[in-house]
Amino acid sequence: VDDETVFEIQRRSQTARQQQCLPGYNSDSEGLSSEIAGYFARRACFRHLNVKPVQTVYVCGAPGVGKSTVINHALGRAGYPAVYGDVRAMVASASGTEMASEYFAMTLDDLVARARALTPSVILVDRVDVLGDAALLSEHEDSTKLATVFAKFIDSIPQGVFLVLESSLELGELPMAVKRCESLQHCQAIGIPTAPRREQMVKAVLGELLAEIPSNAGVHQKELDGLCRRVAAATPGYVARDI
């Protein structure tokens, strides 16, 4: 994993620190950042009491629902250095080797080593849903080994490192080896936005557009609110990307 890939999330989280969260998702971002900050603030206490804290959060949701935006904003709020890995890219790079599972394990170990050097730090692993993609994994004779290797990675995260996993699959849809991980107990689902959330998103998008229109354009707030409500009502099932 090259430095540019590993530290991409640092750039993204630093940018998110200056940005607002996805409209309507502030509570999701705050919840995740609180989990991260709470772990680092209380880890000495957990160690003293010999209690295993929540050190891994599995963030799931439909494609385009806004998982990456929420996670990046949460990491920006928490303020800890982070390293980034993409399971799809890791599996693709391992597919050209004779020992795919061993290569996959080496890539994950490299992520842990880089995060350990930055302790306290966060590891964000994206595209975990690849491990539940039967069509893709059918190309690998040792696909079961890949899931087992990833499960060992989750359970071996060292003290002082927090792990965030991002996926479009629910936890129960992952391979058995992964969903049975002792450390994988906390799941945060980012759902399809409700009508009020969709209205907030539409307001944010239109707000950016209207900022470029001269003030004498005659657009009144009441008209804008009505338009946003109508668009929100007409877009059930839409995710953030669609809006």
Side-chain angles (χ1 to χ4, degrees):
V1 184
D2 57 78
D3 288 340
E4 183 178 350
T5 302
V6 169
F7 290 101
E8 168 64 12
I9 191 58
Q10 280 189 280
R11 183 189 64 76
R12 288 160 57 188
S13 63
Q14 286 168 359
T15 301
R17 206 175 301 177
Q18 282 85 44
Q19 295 176 341
Q20 291 186 341
C21 187
L22 200 62
Y25 285 88
N26 284 300
S27 60
D28 296 288
S29 173
E30 290 172 4
L32 180 56
S33 64
S34 295
E35 287 278 4
I36 297 170
Y39 165 71
F40 290 119
R42 297 189 293 270
R43 62 189 175 120
C45 180
F46 289 131
R47 188 167 54 247
H48 177 71
L49 297 174
N50 197 26
V51 174
K52 185 173 180 59
V54 173
Q55 196 175 351
T56 302
V57 173
Y58 183 81
V59 181
C60 62
V65 80
K67 299 184 297 296
S68 294
T69 305
V70 169
I71 291 172
N72 291 341
H73 190 263
L75 292 178
R77 288 172 61 95
Y80 293 96
V83 294
Y84 174 78
D86 184 320
V87 174
R88 182 178 292 275
M90 293 178 190
V91 170
S93 61
S95 63
T97 64
E98 294 182 1
M99 298 182 292
S101 59
E102 287 80 357
Y103 185 87
F104 185 46
M106 288 172 56
T107 309
L108 293 171
D109 288 343
D110 188 53
L111 276 180
V112 173
R114 291 171 184 269
R116 196 194 298 269
L118 296 169
T119 302
S121 61
V122 179
I123 297 176
L124 169 57
V125 181
D126 196 2
R127 306 286 187 87
V128 177
D129 45 276
V130 168
L131 296 173
D133 188 337
L136 179 65
L137 292 179
S138 64
E139 303 172 8
H140 299 272
E141 295 181 2
D142 54 354
S143 59
T144 304
K145 288 184 179 179
L146 294 178
T148 303
V149 165
F150 195 74
K152 290 180 179 178
F153 158 74
I154 294 173
D155 282 334
S156 63
I157 296 298
Q159 290 292 318
V161 177
F162 194 93
L163 177 63
V164 178
L165 304 175
E166 182 179 347
S167 171
S168 61
L169 295 180
E170 293 184 5
L171 190 55
E173 299 177 277
L174 292 176
M176 189 63 70
V178 177
K179 64 185 179 184
R180 280 188 171 178
C181 287
E182 292 182 6
S183 303
L184 196 54
Q185 303 297 329
H186 188 70
C187 178
Q188 181 171 340
I190 309 296
I192 301 293
T194 59
R197 283 188 172 185
R198 294 198 301 276
E199 186 176 337
Q200 290 180 42
M201 291 180 193
V202 175
K203 280 184 179 179
V205 174
L206 291 181
E208 293 178 2
L209 296 176
L210 292 175
E212 302 176 8
I213 297 176
S215 58
N216 60 2
V219 179
H220 300 291
Q221 187 62 44
K222 186 176 180 180
E223 295 173 337
L224 176 61
D225 291 343
L227 173 61
C228 292
R229 280 194 297 273
R230 291 198 298 275
V231 173
T235 54
Y238 276 44
V239 296
R241 181 176 58 194
D242 300 330
I243 293 176

